[in-house]
Amino acid sequence: MNDGFEISTDPARLDPARIHHWLSTDAYWALGRTREKQDKAIAGSLNFGVYDTASGAQVGYARVVTDYATFSWLCDVYIDRSARGEGLGTALVTAVRDHLAPYGLRRILLATDDAHGVYAKLGFVPLEDPANWMHLLFSRQPSASDGG
């Protein structure tokens, strides 16, 4: 880990308000996410926090949804804008990968619009045959403006 920072999976150290603020206001995939939904996501996941060792402040976050046997989904990877450029994103994803390795998972999946290089350095590759993968999207609740 980079000098001056540490990574922990201790849920008691997480700063849920800060995590919610980061994701709901600055992460393209989670803009507008409610605090209630974020708190539920945290509660149902394996969480990784990055902390400034001098101040104890949380400066990064990642979340993993997993069965600890065959599959993991890495999501909500975020480094505070003030701490970017220190290699913390790479260190965080390395810590996630290394933490999950002993479970013998078949795969760790993730999706990204803009950080392919970060993940590629750590062994992530594009899906070999994306046509084999499917997903089900639940629509948002209808609003009054669209007849709902």
Side-chain angles (χ1 to χ4, degrees):
M1 183 71 227
N2 297 24
D3 289 339
F5 298 95
E6 64 181 327
I7 296 173
S8 173
T9 58
D10 180 356
R13 292 186 69 185
L14 295 172
D15 184 340
R18 179 173 282 192
I19 294 166
H20 173 255
H21 175 75
W22 286 333
L23 297 178
S24 67
T25 65
D26 194 40
Y28 66 84
W29 65 90
L31 293 175
R33 185 182 289 170
T34 67
R35 174 68 190 267
E36 177 184 19
K37 187 166 292 278
Q38 185 60 50
D39 287 350
K40 285 181 182 180
I42 290 170
S45 301
L46 169 62
N47 300 280
F48 291 76
V50 181
Y51 303 91
D52 180 307
T53 53
S55 68
Q58 187 171 351
V59 297
Y61 177 71
R63 183 168 74 83
V64 177
V65 180
T66 186
D67 62 8
Y68 295 98
T70 63
F71 176 83
S72 285
W73 174 264
L74 172 59
C75 52
D76 289 346
V77 178
Y78 188 90
I79 301 297
D80 186 88
R81 288 187 175 274
S82 68
R84 291 184 187 169
E86 303 278 339
L88 296 178
T90 299
L92 177 56
V93 176
T94 299
V96 170
R97 181 197 64 194
D98 294 351
H99 183 91
L100 294 172
Y103 293 102
L105 303 169
R106 181 175 172 112
R107 67 178 44 96
I108 301 171
L109 287 179
L110 63 86
T112 184
D113 279 351
D114 59 359
H116 295 81
V118 171
Y119 297 108
K121 288 189 295 191
L122 301 171
F124 287 85
V125 296
L127 290 174
E128 192 171 300
D129 192 353
N132 287 345
W133 292 84
M134 297 178 71
H135 68 166
L136 173 66
L137 290 176
F138 289 99
S139 63
R140 297 180 185 251
Q141 295 296 323
S143 68
S145 64
D146 59 12

